[in-house]
Amino acid sequence: MATRRTISSEKSISEKDDHIGGSSTGLESSTVGPAVPGHVIAKLLIFTLAMVVLPIGSYFASVNTLFKGNTTYAGGLAALMANVVLVGYVVVAMKEDQGDRKEPKAEGKKDR
């Protein structure tokens, strides 16, 4: 297996990556922030947990108590609960999207 030797005048891959899209001086600070805000991740985790716990929990809670051993009805309730969680997530996501579209009122101006 052959290896490649770099010539002293040739830049390595890591040196080339440092200068792509940046200044040649390298004195500018990076303004890279998180791609997704924390509250969005928290909502996703909450709804993910609800999608796991609510249908399974409703199945096992209702199979012997509410439906007296009828697993068909208990499974239907579990499917209904999964759809409730899914619709809830869509509603929350749409409200959040609409909140981002509203323009904030200009400060310094009073409504008359």
Side-chain angles (χ1 to χ4, degrees), residues 19-55:
H19 296 292
I20 294 175
S23 68
S24 60
T25 60
L27 298 176
E28 294 180 15
S29 64
S30 176
T31 58
V32 176
V36 180
H39 65 88
V40 174
I41 298 294
K43 286 179 190 175
L44 181 64
L45 289 175
I46 289 169
F47 278 99
T48 300
L49 183 66
M51 185 59 102
V52 171
V53 171
L54 196 62

Side-chain angles (χ1 to χ4, degrees), residues 12-21:
S12 67
I13 293 173
S14 62
E15 289 173 349
K16 289 179 183 178
D17 287 343
D18 290 342
H19 296 292
I20 294 175

